[in-house]
Amino acid sequence: MASTEDLTKQFASVGFEEPKVKEIIKNKKVSESLYDLIKEAPADSQWEKSTRAQLQNLASLIKGEQLPNSKLIVDAITKKELKTTLQVEEAFKYIKEHGEHSNKKGMDEHAGVGVEVSDEQVRESVVKYIEDNKERIVTERYKLIPGIMADVKKRPELKWADPRSFKPIIDAEVFKVLGPKDERDTVKKKEKKSKKPAANKKETVTSPQRSMFSEGFLGDLHKVEDNPQNSPELLEEHLKAVHGKVRTRFPPEPNGYLHIGHSKAIMVNFGYAKYNGGNCYLRFDDTNPEAEAPEYFESIKRMVSWLGFEPWKVTYSSDYFDRLYALAERLIENGKGYVCHCSAEEIKAGRGIKPDGTPGGERTPCKHRQRAVDENLLEFRKMRDGEYQPGEAILRMKQDLTSPSPQMWDLIAYRVLNAAHPRTGDKWKIYPTYDFTHCLVDSFENITHSLCTTEFYLSRESYEWLCDQVQVFRPTQREYGRLNITGTVLSKRKIAKLVEQSYVRGWDDPRLYTLEAIRRRGIPPGAILSFINTLGVTTSVTNIQLVRFESAIRKYLEDTTPRLMFVLDPVQVIVDNLPDSYEELVSIPFRPGTPEFGERKVPFTNRLFIDRSDFSEKVGDKEFFRLTPEQPVGLIKVPHALIYSRAEKDSEGKITTIHVTYDTEGRIKKPKTYIQWVPVSAKYNSPVNIAETRVHNALFKSENPSAHPKGYLEDINPDSEIIYTKSVVEHNFHTVVENSPWEVDAVKKSEFYVKEDPKSKEVCRFQAMRTGYFALDKDSDENKIVLNRIVTLKDGSK
């Protein structure tokens, strides 16, 4: 029976956080089962949050009992073959029933392993359900959504579907039937009677605002002085250099554009240093001249600044090439480095990679591993002097081939490259690898907290090993979970193909999730920082659906953006009973309920535009509340209703003009609804015509484009960009542009306020009533206005 200490150590080793460990250990049977299951897991298991959760789920089913062949389930969980709680439960039932006679094939069949239910299949089943229950759905409307969700989950064809895909699909399909929510879907809360304060009650003290830097992973990090060293004098020198202050770094490779995941890394490193009164470097890891380009350096600097952070210093790994080379020779002199002439295939075989590409074979030392120090120095200098071509010689670290960690299997420290470096020119024929460079430059720069994502967890051992072998200060590396967005691709290679094959406009196309694209789309940097803060920082990978990300952006924009009347697909309306000279100024708030935003004047005239969707020739439709031949409609803030008279159509039967009368006599006491409108007024230069309104939807159709059997390019959404060329907006659009970014005091007081460049076009943002949030695109000029939709007004809207 394992002790509490053993249990704690075992659970922590696979990534369970301290509170979770304490919770598990409270249940003796479950913790003992989980302990045994972890020991059964393959050594190379990737312990992501979902893996840990499903293994804990299995332990709670076993509850300390004996389960023959439990390793079948453990292997399937760690290989992500059993992905859901239901699959684990079914696999458990099968193994328990068949005991020693159970086998993987039977378990897989019983648990639905390999059964893929696509989003399209889910959608087909949902559509069928909605068709079968349409009358009830139309009657009960949106309050029926939870019931629909429960019923859909029970459908046999969806037994093995990912339940996370249900809600967005159900929401989208129900929206097609019901349209946007209206007053019928609003539940008015009863006002609570205010209670009188208790006599002599002490004032409550407001607790400090929660922050990702003060709790969780970052809140538990070590203090500056707690960087253990083999030599105490190294710590003393380090503390003198940093003056007791936190020092971090953001170290991107300048071989591509940053994406949304990097925003978390930027905020973690710069934000943690700032929160603790320290400093953060922007360090370019420029050790591969074959992949680097000037535009990447500039873009990275631009994006760090855009997110509101200023580097303490901008440095480059290439600044330290001479010092790195000197330490490489020291490594050789200490008997821990050797020059290897093996081929890539021979190196893989020596590391136990089998001919079929799978790991687990016998590891064998390189035949050059026992070379004498003097010979290695000579060979290394020949590499430096250009006597070897790429692939003919490498410098490797002599580590520990018996270690279970691949990061200790004699990693490559230097390789030969026939490439000039952007900063050092032709000086070097050899370049250090990431594994050699990263930890040593951290040491040179006296980094107190080397923060990186969990895929570098295994690198911690080699990181510390190398610093100790060359006798330099050893920074402390700690790993947090990276941020991923589902429903898109973030791989540089995959985005490059989208750009090269013209699926998108470029690396900054608003449908992508590079930071350049996010900025161009009009998303404020403060919204990104606020979003990341709500997620917090843990050791688990954070996978966020697009709808959740957009919901956070929408909430931020709702509080910080002025509103305008904007008609996406306009149709002209003529008020027949008003003269051409008629003008009635109405006052409309830029943001209702927020006086600080101010108000604007809009002229009501005898000609205006409404959205084509706000008129229907169909009569008697009880679900349609806007203008029809039998139904008047109100205009926002205009005193009287409009009553339909007639419509003009073109040769194809499309309505070009709607004639109405203005109910000046007040016969219509209260129309069913009020719609937005954009006036025609020469005096006010209204409307403002929009050359292109680019409405962006998801670039891909599924949550995991890369899983498409024919490749991610086959998952492209054909309606990812819809362009309108006749949209119009009220003349106050110019006021918004002139005063952008819209920085009222309430915005400036926000914890994550970032001062933006007023010269940038994307800072010109507004909320278009009923349509979404929009921003100026960089393609705009004095003669042509181009808008990008940032997000819709509601989740699931198109």
Side-chain angles (χ1 to χ4, degrees), residues 338-556:
Y338 64 96
V339 174
C340 165
H341 301 280
C342 296
S343 66
E345 289 71 24
E346 288 173 324
I347 292 173
K348 287 180 181 178
R351 289 173 170 165
I353 306 300
K354 300 174 185 176
D356 63 0
T358 59
E362 182 182 356
R363 294 191 290 277
T364 56
C366 164
K367 57 189 175 186
H368 309 103
R369 200 172 194 259
Q370 299 305 322
R371 265 181 170 161
V373 168
D374 290 345
E375 187 180 353
N376 278 316
L377 279 174
L378 178 64
E379 289 295 309
F380 185 49
R381 289 166 183 168
K382 286 167 66 176
M383 288 173 57
R384 177 198 63 190
D385 296 337
E387 296 187 31
Y388 286 113
Q389 292 300 307
E392 292 181 349
I394 54 174
L395 177 67
R396 295 178 68 180
M397 304 181 230
K398 189 185 291 187
Q399 296 170 286
D400 181 5
L401 292 173
T402 65
S403 170
S405 170
Q407 283 297 118
M408 294 299 290
W409 299 346
D410 289 15
L411 297 176
I412 298 171
Y414 268 83
R415 73 280 201 208
V416 177
L417 291 177
N418 286 334
H421 192 280
R423 302 187 73 249
T424 61
D426 295 325
K427 178 180 178 180
W428 295 95
K429 304 296 182 185
I430 56 173
Y431 291 95
T433 61
Y434 173 88
D435 290 308
F436 186 81
T437 305
H438 187 65
C439 60
L440 297 181
V441 177
D442 274 357
S443 178
F444 299 157
E445 294 183 341
N446 278 292
I447 301 304
T448 62
H449 296 76
S450 178
L451 307 176
C452 54
T453 48
T454 48
E455 59 262 41
F456 293 99
Y457 173 73
L458 291 177
S459 298
R460 190 196 295 186
E461 186 176 359
S462 59
Y463 179 107
E464 295 176 350
W465 177 90
L466 180 56
C467 288
D468 288 343
Q469 298 309 313
V470 294
Q471 297 96 42
V472 297
F473 166 71
R474 182 180 68 208
T476 298
Q477 175 181 302
R478 290 295 179 264
E479 308 83 16
Y480 60 90
R482 67 181 182 273
L483 169 63
N484 287 335
I485 297 286
T486 64
T488 189
V489 294
L490 300 177
S491 155
K492 295 168 188 171
R493 178 181 58 81
K494 291 180 178 178
I495 295 177
K497 191 173 287 188
L498 290 170
V499 174
E500 291 161 4
Q501 298 186 21
S502 300
Y503 286 101
V504 293
R505 298 173 183 273
W507 286 84
D508 63 351
D509 187 293
R511 290 166 290 179
L512 297 174
Y513 283 83
T514 61
L515 290 184
E516 293 279 10
I518 287 172
R519 178 181 183 176
R520 180 178 180 181
R521 182 168 152 187
I523 294 174
I528 301 293
L529 302 183
S530 178
F531 171 64
I532 294 171
N533 183 64
T534 61
L535 298 177
V537 182
T538 68
T539 56
S540 300
V541 174
T542 305
N543 293 305
I544 301 297
Q545 290 183 304
L546 289 179
V547 290
R548 183 178 172 189
F549 175 68
E550 292 185 346
S551 178
I553 304 306
R554 185 180 297 111
K555 178 64 176 70
Y556 189 92

Side-chain angles (χ1 to χ4, degrees), residues 8 22 43 97 141 162 207 224 314 387 397 412-413 419 470 481-482 622 624 628 651 653 660 699 721 746:
T8 301
K22 290 179 179 177
E97 180 181 346
R141 292 181 63 79
D162 184 348
S207 59
V224 172
V314 177
E387 296 187 31
M397 304 181 230
I412 298 171
V470 294
R482 67 181 182 273
K622 295 181 180 179
F624 190 80
T628 74
S651 58
V660 299
L699 182 58
E721 181 182 72

Side-chain angles (χ1 to χ4, degrees), residues 20 106 138 178 191 212 236 250 322 367 392 572 703 766 792:
K20 191 68 176 176
V138 169
L178 301 180
E191 292 186 8
M212 60 184 265
E236 291 175 14
F250 173 58
D322 289 317
K367 57 189 175 186
E392 292 181 349
Q572 180 179 227
E703 278 288 288
F766 67 95
T792 59

Side-chain angles (χ1 to χ4, degrees), residues 173-332:
E173 295 304 323
V174 170
F175 182 86
K176 291 177 184 177
V177 175
L178 301 180
K181 289 184 180 180
D182 55 33
E183 59 271 18
R184 293 168 295 175
D185 305 301
T186 303
V187 179
K188 293 184 178 180
K189 294 183 179 179
K190 294 182 179 179
E191 292 186 8
K192 293 182 179 179
K193 293 182 179 179
S194 59
K195 294 181 179 179
K196 292 182 179 180
N200 300 321
K201 188 174 181 180
K202 293 182 179 180
E203 290 185 9
T204 56
V205 179
T206 305
S207 59
Q209 191 166 14
R210 296 181 65 186
S211 168
M212 60 184 265
F213 304 115
S214 61
E215 56 186 46
F217 172 84
L218 294 176
D220 291 337
L221 286 176
H222 58 278
K223 294 180 180 179
V224 172
E225 61 270 20
D226 292 338
N227 269 314
Q229 305 293 316
N230 283 340
S231 302
E233 63 271 15
L234 292 175
L235 181 59
E236 291 175 14
E237 292 171 6
H238 163 72
L239 292 176
K240 288 178 184 177
V242 300
H243 304 292
K245 290 184 177 181
V246 165
R247 190 177 290 183
T248 61
R249 80 288 173 271
F250 173 58
E253 294 179 65
N255 61 357
Y257 295 95
L258 302 182
H259 57 66
I260 183 64
H262 292 107
S263 65
K264 181 176 182 180
I266 291 170
M267 191 174 179
V268 163
N269 283 286
F270 282 96
Y272 182 73
K274 183 179 179 181
Y275 183 84
N276 289 283
N279 300 306
C280 181
Y281 286 93
L282 168 58
R283 183 208 305 154
F284 289 103
D285 184 26
D286 57 340
T287 58
N288 183 8
E290 294 179 328
E292 295 154 10
E295 62 263 30
Y296 301 141
F297 287 90
E298 293 308 312
S299 176
I300 290 168
K301 290 178 185 176
R302 192 162 56 242
M303 291 302 98
V304 169
S305 176
W306 175 67
L307 284 171
F309 297 108
E310 182 178 351
W312 181 52
K313 294 179 181 179
V314 177
T315 59
Y316 303 78
S317 292
S318 57
D319 293 341
Y320 306 100
F321 276 174
D322 289 317
R323 292 177 69 179
L324 290 168
Y325 178 82
L327 288 185
E329 288 209 349
R330 182 185 295 181
L331 187 72
I332 295 170

Side-chain angles (χ1 to χ4, degrees), residues 583-749:
E583 179 187 285
E584 183 175 357
L585 282 179
V586 299
S587 184
I588 307 177
F590 272 113
R591 187 172 185 274
T594 311
E596 190 182 1
F597 273 70
E599 297 197 347
R600 82 266 192 193
K601 302 293 184 182
V602 184
F604 171 59
T605 63
N606 75 332
R607 289 179 62 218
L608 54 108
F609 289 99
I610 66 171
D611 199 283
R612 193 171 295 278
S613 64
D614 283 336
F615 173 73
S616 174
E617 291 186 279
K618 186 179 179 182
V619 297
D621 184 353
K622 295 181 180 179
E623 302 299 320
F624 190 80
F625 290 86
R626 287 155 274 166
L627 183 64
T628 74
E630 293 184 350
Q631 183 168 271
V633 73
L635 300 180
I636 291 172
K637 292 297 181 179
V638 174
H640 305 296
L642 300 183
I643 302 171
Y644 174 84
S645 297
R646 60 189 178 89
E648 297 179 23
K649 299 182 179 181
D650 61 17
S651 58
E652 297 178 355
K654 185 177 182 179
I655 294 174
T656 57
T657 304
I658 300 170
H659 290 264
V660 299
T661 58
Y662 188 44
D663 182 28
T664 54
E665 298 176 2
R667 288 178 295 159
I668 310 301
K669 298 301 180 184
K670 187 177 181 181
K672 286 189 175 181
T673 196
Y674 292 83
I675 62 173
Q676 63 168 338
W677 51 285
V678 173
V680 176
S681 170
K683 178 180 177 181
Y684 287 89
N685 293 319
S686 180
V688 177
N689 295 302
I690 308 301
E692 286 188 25
T693 303
R694 299 170 182 170
V695 173
H696 298 115
N697 299 308
L699 182 58
F700 298 97
K701 291 182 284 189
S702 74
E703 278 288 288
N704 186 6
S706 299
H708 194 286
K710 294 183 179 179
Y712 71 105
L713 294 179
E714 293 297 319
D715 196 47
I716 295 285
N717 174 13
D719 297 321
S720 65
E721 181 182 72
I722 301 171
I723 299 176
Y724 294 83
T725 57
K726 295 181 179 179
S727 304
V728 293
V729 66
E730 60 175 278
H731 73 284
N732 291 295
F733 170 78
H734 293 302
T735 302
V736 170
V737 171
E738 289 167 9
N739 291 281
S740 291
W742 203 269
E743 295 183 338
V744 295
D745 287 342
V747 174
K748 293 179 181 178
K749 291 175 183 177

